[in-house]
Amino acid sequence: MSPRISSGLAWSVWALSAALAILSVPLYWSTTPSAVLVGIPQIVAVLTLAALVLAFSTVGALIVARRPGNRIGWVLCLAGFTIGATTLASGDATFSLAGPSRLPGTELAAWLAYWIWVPGVGPTMTFGLLLFPDGRLPSNRWRVVSWLTVVALATLAFGSAFTPGPLSDYPEVTNPLGLAPLEGSVLEDGGVGWVLLPASVVISV
């Protein structure tokens, strides 16, 4: 991929990420403007997430534009996009569940918000450190850690996305894509991924 195409794609991701974050704000504001989340007003938390989306996406796009071979730029672009997607999907689900009747796609929005952050935020905490500062692993020996990270992210995302039953963040919603074999397995609700990902982060640090 040429530097010009890479730069254009990165800035397109930036624009999409910013749009996702901005569109989520009125959904939260019109639904629960005074609600409290983790001890702070929910709207403040949403605005903070929107700022994070812009920060990750902007830095990522600048790195891709100026240093096309540095993969950290794409890691940050992916983080910005998935945080934006999570915020909008969560806002849509919250808005719909607060109303007198559910809007079409509420279950899918809640489902997406529940797990989509994993493939974006997870690499930032792991590959963002492993590849710093030039976008390459320190040596081939670190490939083991990179594969551990991939397994951690895959198991956490897959287990969270497809465990049957109510979604813990949205107990009114039953997972529309739940797979019965995951219930009671090591992948249930992320399962072993919740152990492997923190281990990957610590090793990456």
PDB file of all heavy atoms in Angstrom, residues 152-184:
ATOM      1  N   ALA A 152      -5.086 -14.240  23.716  1.00  0.00           N
ATOM      2  CA  ALA A 152      -5.832 -13.565  24.783  1.00  0.00           C
ATOM      3  C   ALA A 152      -6.979 -12.734  24.215  1.00  0.00           C
ATOM      4  O   ALA A 152      -8.117 -12.806  24.689  1.00  0.00           O
ATOM      5  CB  ALA A 152      -4.888 -12.681  25.596  1.00  0.00           C
ATOM      6  N   LEU A 153      -6.679 -11.945  23.191  1.00  0.00           N
ATOM      7  CA  LEU A 153      -7.704 -11.088  22.595  1.00  0.00           C
ATOM      8  C   LEU A 153      -8.789 -11.915  21.913  1.00  0.00           C
ATOM      9  O   LEU A 153      -9.981 -11.593  22.014  1.00  0.00           O
ATOM     10  CB  LEU A 153      -7.064 -10.130  21.593  1.00  0.00           C
ATOM     11  CG  LEU A 153      -6.088  -9.106  22.173  1.00  0.00           C
ATOM     12  CD1 LEU A 153      -5.394  -8.341  21.048  1.00  0.00           C
ATOM     13  CD2 LEU A 153      -6.804  -8.144  23.102  1.00  0.00           C
ATOM     14  N   ALA A 154      -8.381 -12.979  21.231  1.00  0.00           N
ATOM     15  CA  ALA A 154      -9.352 -13.814  20.520  1.00  0.00           C
ATOM     16  C   ALA A 154     -10.298 -14.518  21.491  1.00  0.00           C
ATOM     17  O   ALA A 154     -11.521 -14.537  21.282  1.00  0.00           O
ATOM     18  CB  ALA A 154      -8.624 -14.836  19.655  1.00  0.00           C
ATOM     19  N   THR A 155      -9.745 -15.092  22.561  1.00  0.00           N
ATOM     20  CA  THR A 155     -10.595 -15.804  23.520  1.00  0.00           C
ATOM     21  C   THR A 155     -11.506 -14.848  24.273  1.00  0.00           C
ATOM     22  O   THR A 155     -12.680 -15.151  24.509  1.00  0.00           O
ATOM     23  CB  THR A 155      -9.744 -16.596  24.519  1.00  0.00           C
ATOM     24  OG1 THR A 155      -8.773 -15.722  25.129  1.00  0.00           O
ATOM     25  CG2 THR A 155      -9.009 -17.725  23.823  1.00  0.00           C
ATOM     26  N   LEU A 156     -10.983 -13.686  24.634  1.00  0.00           N
ATOM     27  CA  LEU A 156     -11.799 -12.715  25.361  1.00  0.00           C
ATOM     28  C   LEU A 156     -12.923 -12.180  24.488  1.00  0.00           C
ATOM     29  O   LEU A 156     -14.077 -12.099  24.924  1.00  0.00           O
ATOM     30  CB  LEU A 156     -10.919 -11.567  25.859  1.00  0.00           C
ATOM     31  CG  LEU A 156     -11.605 -10.469  26.675  1.00  0.00           C
ATOM     32  CD1 LEU A 156     -12.362 -11.058  27.854  1.00  0.00           C
ATOM     33  CD2 LEU A 156     -10.576  -9.448  27.155  1.00  0.00           C
ATOM     34  N   ALA A 157     -12.607 -11.829  23.248  1.00  0.00           N
ATOM     35  CA  ALA A 157     -13.627 -11.295  22.348  1.00  0.00           C
ATOM     36  C   ALA A 157     -14.659 -12.360  22.004  1.00  0.00           C
ATOM     37  O   ALA A 157     -15.875 -12.107  22.056  1.00  0.00           O
ATOM     38  CB  ALA A 157     -12.975 -10.751  21.080  1.00  0.00           C
ATOM     39  N   PHE A 158     -14.192 -13.560  21.647  1.00  0.00           N
ATOM     40  CA  PHE A 158     -15.112 -14.625  21.240  1.00  0.00           C
ATOM     41  C   PHE A 158     -16.011 -15.039  22.403  1.00  0.00           C
ATOM     42  O   PHE A 158     -17.230 -15.186  22.238  1.00  0.00           O
ATOM     43  CB  PHE A 158     -14.319 -15.828  20.733  1.00  0.00           C
ATOM     44  CG  PHE A 158     -15.179 -16.923  20.165  1.00  0.00           C
ATOM     45  CD1 PHE A 158     -15.632 -16.849  18.859  1.00  0.00           C
ATOM     46  CD2 PHE A 158     -15.524 -18.023  20.933  1.00  0.00           C
ATOM     47  CE1 PHE A 158     -16.434 -17.863  18.328  1.00  0.00           C
ATOM     48  CE2 PHE A 158     -16.324 -19.033  20.417  1.00  0.00           C
ATOM     49  CZ  PHE A 158     -16.779 -18.951  19.111  1.00  0.00           C
ATOM     50  N   GLY A 159     -15.418 -15.232  23.570  1.00  0.00           N
ATOM     51  CA  GLY A 159     -16.210 -15.640  24.723  1.00  0.00           C
ATOM     52  C   GLY A 159     -17.223 -14.595  25.132  1.00  0.00           C
ATOM     53  O   GLY A 159     -18.374 -14.913  25.467  1.00  0.00           O
ATOM     54  N   SER A 160     -16.831 -13.319  25.089  1.00  0.00           N
ATOM     55  CA  SER A 160     -17.760 -12.244  25.454  1.00  0.00           C
ATOM     56  C   SER A 160     -18.884 -12.113  24.437  1.00  0.00           C
ATOM     57  O   SER A 160     -20.038 -11.856  24.789  1.00  0.00           O
ATOM     58  CB  SER A 160     -17.005 -10.911  25.560  1.00  0.00           C
ATOM     59  OG  SER A 160     -16.018 -10.962  26.557  1.00  0.00           O
ATOM     60  N   ALA A 161     -18.544 -12.288  23.160  1.00  0.00           N
ATOM     61  CA  ALA A 161     -19.522 -12.073  22.095  1.00  0.00           C
ATOM     62  C   ALA A 161     -20.550 -13.186  21.981  1.00  0.00           C
ATOM     63  O   ALA A 161     -21.693 -12.928  21.588  1.00  0.00           O
ATOM     64  CB  ALA A 161     -18.796 -11.896  20.763  1.00  0.00           C
ATOM     65  N   PHE A 162     -20.172 -14.422  22.329  1.00  0.00           N
ATOM     66  CA  PHE A 162     -21.051 -15.539  22.004  1.00  0.00           C
ATOM     67  C   PHE A 162     -21.506 -16.377  23.194  1.00  0.00           C
ATOM     68  O   PHE A 162     -22.107 -17.429  23.014  1.00  0.00           O
ATOM     69  CB  PHE A 162     -20.371 -16.439  20.969  1.00  0.00           C
ATOM     70  CG  PHE A 162     -20.107 -15.740  19.663  1.00  0.00           C
ATOM     71  CD1 PHE A 162     -18.814 -15.412  19.289  1.00  0.00           C
ATOM     72  CD2 PHE A 162     -21.153 -15.382  18.826  1.00  0.00           C
ATOM     73  CE1 PHE A 162     -18.567 -14.757  18.102  1.00  0.00           C
ATOM     74  CE2 PHE A 162     -20.926 -14.723  17.642  1.00  0.00           C
ATOM     75  CZ  PHE A 162     -19.636 -14.402  17.271  1.00  0.00           C
ATOM     76  N   THR A 163     -21.232 -15.940  24.425  1.00  0.00           N
ATOM     77  CA  THR A 163     -21.770 -16.640  25.590  1.00  0.00           C
ATOM     78  C   THR A 163     -23.274 -16.397  25.662  1.00  0.00           C
ATOM     79  O   THR A 163     -23.727 -15.254  25.615  1.00  0.00           O
ATOM     80  CB  THR A 163     -21.102 -16.150  26.884  1.00  0.00           C
ATOM     81  OG1 THR A 163     -19.710 -16.491  26.858  1.00  0.00           O
ATOM     82  CG2 THR A 163     -21.754 -16.804  28.110  1.00  0.00           C
ATOM     83  N   PRO A 164     -24.083 -17.451  25.772  1.00  0.00           N
ATOM     84  CA  PRO A 164     -25.542 -17.268  25.808  1.00  0.00           C
ATOM     85  C   PRO A 164     -26.019 -16.672  27.126  1.00  0.00           C
ATOM     86  O   PRO A 164     -25.292 -16.669  28.121  1.00  0.00           O
ATOM     87  CB  PRO A 164     -26.071 -18.690  25.621  1.00  0.00           C
ATOM     88  CG  PRO A 164     -24.984 -19.562  26.180  1.00  0.00           C
ATOM     89  CD  PRO A 164     -23.688 -18.865  25.841  1.00  0.00           C
ATOM     90  N   GLY A 165     -27.232 -16.149  27.102  1.00  0.00           N
ATOM     91  CA  GLY A 165     -27.845 -15.585  28.304  1.00  0.00           C
ATOM     92  C   GLY A 165     -27.827 -14.073  28.299  1.00  0.00           C
ATOM     93  O   GLY A 165     -27.406 -13.437  27.323  1.00  0.00           O
ATOM     94  N   PRO A 166     -28.289 -13.447  29.393  1.00  0.00           N
ATOM     95  CA  PRO A 166     -28.319 -11.978  29.475  1.00  0.00           C
ATOM     96  C   PRO A 166     -26.912 -11.382  29.427  1.00  0.00           C
ATOM     97  O   PRO A 166     -25.968 -11.958  29.964  1.00  0.00           O
ATOM     98  CB  PRO A 166     -28.983 -11.715  30.832  1.00  0.00           C
ATOM     99  CG  PRO A 166     -29.691 -12.978  31.182  1.00  0.00           C
ATOM    100  CD  PRO A 166     -28.880 -14.087  30.582  1.00  0.00           C
ATOM    101  N   LEU A 167     -26.796 -10.226  28.797  1.00  0.00           N
ATOM    102  CA  LEU A 167     -25.536  -9.497  28.782  1.00  0.00           C
ATOM    103  C   LEU A 167     -25.396  -8.776  30.115  1.00  0.00           C
ATOM    104  O   LEU A 167     -26.307  -8.056  30.525  1.00  0.00           O
ATOM    105  CB  LEU A 167     -25.517  -8.494  27.624  1.00  0.00           C
ATOM    106  CG  LEU A 167     -25.686  -9.083  26.222  1.00  0.00           C
ATOM    107  CD1 LEU A 167     -25.796  -7.959  25.190  1.00  0.00           C
ATOM    108  CD2 LEU A 167     -24.525 -10.001  25.887  1.00  0.00           C
ATOM    109  N   SER A 168     -24.268  -8.949  30.802  1.00  0.00           N
ATOM    110  CA  SER A 168     -24.135  -8.396  32.159  1.00  0.00           C
ATOM    111  C   SER A 168     -24.264  -6.878  32.178  1.00  0.00           C
ATOM    112  O   SER A 168     -24.766  -6.311  33.157  1.00  0.00           O
ATOM    113  CB  SER A 168     -22.795  -8.826  32.768  1.00  0.00           C
ATOM    114  OG  SER A 168     -21.708  -8.395  31.979  1.00  0.00           O
ATOM    115  N   ASP A 169     -23.826  -6.190  31.130  1.00  0.00           N
ATOM    116  CA  ASP A 169     -23.963  -4.734  31.083  1.00  0.00           C
ATOM    117  C   ASP A 169     -25.380  -4.296  30.732  1.00  0.00           C
ATOM    118  O   ASP A 169     -25.762  -3.155  31.003  1.00  0.00           O
ATOM    119  CB  ASP A 169     -22.992  -4.139  30.057  1.00  0.00           C
ATOM    120  CG  ASP A 169     -21.548  -4.264  30.503  1.00  0.00           C
ATOM    121  OD1 ASP A 169     -21.325  -4.577  31.690  1.00  0.00           O
ATOM    122  OD2 ASP A 169     -20.655  -4.052  29.665  1.00  0.00           O
ATOM    123  N   TYR A 170     -26.133  -5.198  30.115  1.00  0.00           N
ATOM    124  CA  TYR A 170     -27.519  -4.910  29.710  1.00  0.00           C
ATOM    125  C   TYR A 170     -28.368  -6.121  30.077  1.00  0.00           C
ATOM    126  O   TYR A 170     -28.711  -6.939  29.215  1.00  0.00           O
ATOM    127  CB  TYR A 170     -27.596  -4.643  28.197  1.00  0.00           C
ATOM    128  CG  TYR A 170     -26.616  -3.607  27.719  1.00  0.00           C
ATOM    129  CD1 TYR A 170     -25.356  -3.986  27.240  1.00  0.00           C
ATOM    130  CD2 TYR A 170     -26.936  -2.251  27.749  1.00  0.00           C
ATOM    131  CE1 TYR A 170     -24.440  -3.033  26.819  1.00  0.00           C
ATOM    132  CE2 TYR A 170     -26.028  -1.303  27.326  1.00  0.00           C
ATOM    133  CZ  TYR A 170     -24.786  -1.700  26.858  1.00  0.00           C
ATOM    134  OH  TYR A 170     -23.884  -0.755  26.441  1.00  0.00           O
ATOM    135  N   PRO A 171     -28.708  -6.287  31.352  1.00  0.00           N
ATOM    136  CA  PRO A 171     -29.417  -7.496  31.793  1.00  0.00           C
ATOM    137  C   PRO A 171     -30.785  -7.695  31.155  1.00  0.00           C
ATOM    138  O   PRO A 171     -31.319  -8.804  31.178  1.00  0.00           O
ATOM    139  CB  PRO A 171     -29.543  -7.283  33.310  1.00  0.00           C
ATOM    140  CG  PRO A 171     -29.325  -5.820  33.528  1.00  0.00           C
ATOM    141  CD  PRO A 171     -28.406  -5.363  32.448  1.00  0.00           C
ATOM    142  N   GLU A 172     -31.330  -6.609  30.566  1.00  0.00           N
ATOM    143  CA  GLU A 172     -32.625  -6.745  29.898  1.00  0.00           C
ATOM    144  C   GLU A 172     -32.496  -7.416  28.542  1.00  0.00           C
ATOM    145  O   GLU A 172     -33.491  -7.804  27.936  1.00  0.00           O
ATOM    146  CB  GLU A 172     -33.277  -5.369  29.688  1.00  0.00           C
ATOM    147  CG  GLU A 172     -33.319  -4.470  30.913  1.00  0.00           C
ATOM    148  CD  GLU A 172     -32.139  -3.494  30.953  1.00  0.00           C
ATOM    149  OE1 GLU A 172     -31.004  -3.924  30.612  1.00  0.00           O
ATOM    150  OE2 GLU A 172     -32.349  -2.331  31.321  1.00  0.00           O
ATOM    151  N   VAL A 173     -31.266  -7.550  28.059  1.00  0.00           N
ATOM    152  CA  VAL A 173     -31.025  -8.079  26.718  1.00  0.00           C
ATOM    153  C   VAL A 173     -30.372  -9.451  26.807  1.00  0.00           C
ATOM    154  O   VAL A 173     -29.360  -9.631  27.488  1.00  0.00           O
ATOM    155  CB  VAL A 173     -30.110  -7.124  25.909  1.00  0.00           C
ATOM    156  CG1 VAL A 173     -29.810  -7.721  24.534  1.00  0.00           C
ATOM    157  CG2 VAL A 173     -30.757  -5.757  25.775  1.00  0.00           C
ATOM    158  N   THR A 174     -30.957 -10.409  26.101  1.00  0.00           N
ATOM    159  CA  THR A 174     -30.374 -11.742  25.985  1.00  0.00           C
ATOM    160  C   THR A 174     -29.505 -11.781  24.732  1.00  0.00           C
ATOM    161  O   THR A 174     -29.920 -11.293  23.678  1.00  0.00           O
ATOM    162  CB  THR A 174     -31.474 -12.809  25.882  1.00  0.00           C
ATOM    163  OG1 THR A 174     -32.261 -12.782  27.076  1.00  0.00           O
ATOM    164  CG2 THR A 174     -30.860 -14.194  25.726  1.00  0.00           C
ATOM    165  N   ASN A 175     -28.322 -12.332  24.863  1.00  0.00           N
ATOM    166  CA  ASN A 175     -27.389 -12.376  23.740  1.00  0.00           C
ATOM    167  C   ASN A 175     -28.070 -12.973  22.505  1.00  0.00           C
ATOM    168  O   ASN A 175     -28.453 -14.147  22.509  1.00  0.00           O
ATOM    169  CB  ASN A 175     -26.158 -13.210  24.102  1.00  0.00           C
ATOM    170  CG  ASN A 175     -25.035 -13.082  23.085  1.00  0.00           C
ATOM    171  OD1 ASN A 175     -25.257 -12.762  21.923  1.00  0.00           O
ATOM    172  ND2 ASN A 175     -23.822 -13.342  23.525  1.00  0.00           N
ATOM    173  N   PRO A 176     -28.225 -12.183  21.424  1.00  0.00           N
ATOM    174  CA  PRO A 176     -28.914 -12.698  20.237  1.00  0.00           C
ATOM    175  C   PRO A 176     -28.095 -13.701  19.441  1.00  0.00           C
ATOM    176  O   PRO A 176     -28.629 -14.385  18.575  1.00  0.00           O
ATOM    177  CB  PRO A 176     -29.171 -11.421  19.415  1.00  0.00           C
ATOM    178  CG  PRO A 176     -28.051 -10.502  19.795  1.00  0.00           C
ATOM    179  CD  PRO A 176     -27.789 -10.779  21.251  1.00  0.00           C
ATOM    180  N   LEU A 177     -26.789 -13.801  19.744  1.00  0.00           N
ATOM    181  CA  LEU A 177     -25.907 -14.707  19.000  1.00  0.00           C
ATOM    182  C   LEU A 177     -25.201 -15.687  19.933  1.00  0.00           C
ATOM    183  O   LEU A 177     -24.093 -16.127  19.654  1.00  0.00           O
ATOM    184  CB  LEU A 177     -24.879 -13.891  18.202  1.00  0.00           C
ATOM    185  CG  LEU A 177     -25.446 -12.938  17.142  1.00  0.00           C
ATOM    186  CD1 LEU A 177     -24.328 -12.129  16.496  1.00  0.00           C
ATOM    187  CD2 LEU A 177     -26.221 -13.708  16.078  1.00  0.00           C
ATOM    188  N   GLY A 178     -25.837 -15.995  21.056  1.00  0.00           N
ATOM    189  CA  GLY A 178     -25.228 -16.900  22.027  1.00  0.00           C
ATOM    190  C   GLY A 178     -25.091 -18.315  21.487  1.00  0.00           C
ATOM    191  O   GLY A 178     -25.955 -18.803  20.754  1.00  0.00           O
ATOM    192  N   LEU A 179     -23.986 -18.963  21.859  1.00  0.00           N
ATOM    193  CA  LEU A 179     -23.730 -20.346  21.461  1.00  0.00           C
ATOM    194  C   LEU A 179     -23.757 -21.220  22.712  1.00  0.00           C
ATOM    195  O   LEU A 179     -22.930 -21.048  23.618  1.00  0.00           O
ATOM    196  CB  LEU A 179     -22.366 -20.460  20.775  1.00  0.00           C
ATOM    197  CG  LEU A 179     -22.179 -19.620  19.498  1.00  0.00           C
ATOM    198  CD1 LEU A 179     -20.744 -19.751  18.991  1.00  0.00           C
ATOM    199  CD2 LEU A 179     -23.171 -20.043  18.429  1.00  0.00           C
ATOM    200  N   ALA A 180     -24.675 -22.167  22.758  1.00  0.00           N
ATOM    201  CA  ALA A 180     -24.867 -22.997  23.945  1.00  0.00           C
ATOM    202  C   ALA A 180     -23.607 -23.719  24.408  1.00  0.00           C
ATOM    203  O   ALA A 180     -23.360 -23.830  25.619  1.00  0.00           O
ATOM    204  CB  ALA A 180     -25.991 -24.006  23.686  1.00  0.00           C
ATOM    205  N   PRO A 181     -22.734 -24.238  23.511  1.00  0.00           N
ATOM    206  CA  PRO A 181     -21.536 -24.956  23.984  1.00  0.00           C
ATOM    207  C   PRO A 181     -20.592 -24.105  24.831  1.00  0.00           C
ATOM    208  O   PRO A 181     -19.771 -24.655  25.575  1.00  0.00           O
ATOM    209  CB  PRO A 181     -20.857 -25.379  22.676  1.00  0.00           C
ATOM    210  CG  PRO A 181     -21.964 -25.470  21.676  1.00  0.00           C
ATOM    211  CD  PRO A 181     -22.895 -24.348  22.049  1.00  0.00           C
ATOM    212  N   LEU A 182     -20.673 -22.773  24.731  1.00  0.00           N
ATOM    213  CA  LEU A 182     -19.768 -21.927  25.509  1.00  0.00           C
ATOM    214  C   LEU A 182     -20.161 -21.851  26.981  1.00  0.00           C
ATOM    215  O   LEU A 182     -19.331 -21.519  27.830  1.00  0.00           O
ATOM    216  CB  LEU A 182     -19.730 -20.507  24.930  1.00  0.00           C
ATOM    217  CG  LEU A 182     -19.034 -20.323  23.579  1.00  0.00           C
ATOM    218  CD1 LEU A 182     -18.998 -18.852  23.210  1.00  0.00           C
ATOM    219  CD2 LEU A 182     -17.630 -20.888  23.614  1.00  0.00           C
ATOM    220  N   GLU A 183     -21.417 -22.158  27.283  1.00  0.00           N
ATOM    221  CA  GLU A 183     -21.882 -22.053  28.667  1.00  0.00           C
ATOM    222  C   GLU A 183     -21.168 -23.085  29.540  1.00  0.00           C
ATOM    223  O   GLU A 183     -21.179 -24.285  29.266  1.00  0.00           O
ATOM    224  CB  GLU A 183     -23.393 -22.260  28.735  1.00  0.00           C
ATOM    225  CG  GLU A 183     -23.990 -21.874  30.061  1.00  0.00           C
ATOM    226  CD  GLU A 183     -25.513 -21.824  30.015  1.00  0.00           C
ATOM    227  OE1 GLU A 183     -26.086 -22.236  29.000  1.00  0.00           O
ATOM    228  OE2 GLU A 183     -26.111 -21.367  31.004  1.00  0.00           O
ATOM    229  N   GLY A 184     -20.502 -22.610  30.580  1.00  0.00           N
ATOM    230  CA  GLY A 184     -19.769 -23.492  31.484  1.00  0.00           C
ATOM    231  C   GLY A 184     -18.382 -23.864  30.998  1.00  0.00           C
ATOM    232  O   GLY A 184     -17.669 -24.610  31.681  1.00  0.00           O
TER     233      GLY A 184
END
